Amino acid sequence: MNTKAVRGDWDSRVFDAVNICLLVVITILIVVPLWNVIVSSFSSGRALAEGGFIFWPTEFSFENYRAVFRDSTIWQSFFISVSKTVIGVVTHVFFCAMVGYALSKSKLRGRKFYVALGVITMFFSGGMIPTYLLIKSLGLLNSFWVYIIPALLSFYDVIVLMNFFRNVPDSLEESAKIDGAGDWRIFLSIFIPLSMPAMATIVLFNGVGQWNDFMTTKLYVTDQWLYPLQMKLYEIIVQSQTQSMQNVGGSAVIETATKGVQLATIVITTLPIVVMYPILQRYFISGMMLGAVKE
């Protein structure tokens, strides 16, 4: 019997066992706090006032969610959030893909200059006040398009797509041109389908950013009908804190009365992203281009 082979097999099993234990520990560290937030959001104020870690609500209650949905304009805010997320993600990805496709071509005149300008914007910006003045001069204050137009381009995403487009075999593009396809046809029919893994990653991160965006509304929007869900839930939390301070004198009750509402808002705002992630996860698998061209 080969001693080295047995020892190598034993070391491999130990290594696999350690990796499994680490994955289990990391999973527990992630899942348990999330479970506590969800369960606590369905607990009554009395159960939250008792403190301690809650694995199951001792007093099941929907009062926290009733406090959130008591505002009749919450559905308008939900519609604004969904609209700006969907429209913002689609336009952002398509615009970045167009720029990345153009910059991936070495024959483009001034390509290095355009890339240098884009890289500079990744490290430097005009600042909050110049940006506000620009948004105001463009007439985007209190407009739905303030959520869309300023977020059209991210040069980081352009670089990701540009590098991905460079890996597309030239023979695919050459064969399409021989068949009479133009640049738009090649871009839409070849490069977009092949770049789904990279685009899905950008869709996920940009979608999370659009859904959680709070500062754009805080800085540029005062019309409540244009408030997204994040801003509306922020107002609900502030109102619940104010009402608790006016009606109750005990600080512990004030804290628990607002804590349940805060936990409910966390669940409501996180649920759409949790649902969207498994749908996009399958696109993360690389190798979609393997076997696309055989020399």
Side-chain angles (χ1 to χ4, degrees), residues 102-289:
L103 293 179
S104 66
K105 305 302 178 183
S106 58
K107 62 182 179 180
L108 178 67
R109 293 182 180 180
R111 174 179 168 276
K112 293 183 179 180
F113 175 73
Y114 298 140
V115 172
L117 286 180
V119 171
I120 290 175
T121 62
M122 296 173 62
F123 298 96
F124 304 98
S125 65
M128 184 180 295
I129 295 177
T131 303
Y132 178 86
L133 295 176
L134 175 63
I135 296 296
K136 183 179 180 180
S137 64
L138 293 175
L140 295 177
L141 293 180
N142 281 324
S143 171
F144 175 79
W145 298 107
V146 75
Y147 299 124
I148 309 300
I149 295 178
L152 276 178
L153 183 66
S154 169
F155 202 75
Y156 175 82
D157 295 340
V158 170
I159 291 177
V160 172
L161 291 171
M162 180 177 64
N163 292 329
F164 196 92
F165 290 152
R166 285 178 181 174
N167 295 325
V168 176
D170 294 335
S171 54
L172 274 178
E173 188 172 358
E174 292 172 358
S175 61
K177 288 183 178 180
I178 292 175
D179 293 336
D183 289 332
W184 276 106
R185 182 66 180 274
I186 295 172
F187 172 67
L188 295 175
S189 301
I190 297 178
F191 282 82
I192 291 296
L194 291 178
S195 62
M196 281 300 175
M199 294 181 68
T201 304
I202 295 175
V203 165
L204 181 62
F205 285 104
N206 187 257
V208 173
Q210 278 281 9
W211 181 264
N212 292 330
D213 183 28
F214 172 79
M215 287 303 299
T216 300
T217 308
K218 194 71 173 176
L219 294 175
Y220 309 124
V221 178
T222 56
D223 187 359
Q224 293 189 0
W225 283 100
L226 291 174
Y227 279 3
L229 188 62
Q230 305 292 340
M231 189 68 182
K232 180 57 66 174
L233 294 178
Y234 168 77
E235 284 191 338
I236 293 174
I237 292 176
V238 172
Q239 291 174 2
S240 65
Q241 289 176 340
T242 304
Q243 293 175 359
S244 298
M245 291 179 183
Q246 292 176 350
N247 298 332
V248 185
S251 58
V253 181
I254 295 174
E255 182 179 356
T256 55
T258 58
K259 181 180 178 182
V261 177
Q262 293 174 1
L263 294 174
T265 58
I266 292 174
V267 174
I268 293 172
T269 55
T270 308
L271 184 61
I273 302 300
V274 174
V275 172
M276 187 177 68
Y277 180 77
I279 298 175
L280 296 176
Q281 187 181 18
R282 63 191 181 98
Y283 290 106
F284 292 158
I285 302 174
S286 60
M288 182 177 287
M289 291 174 54

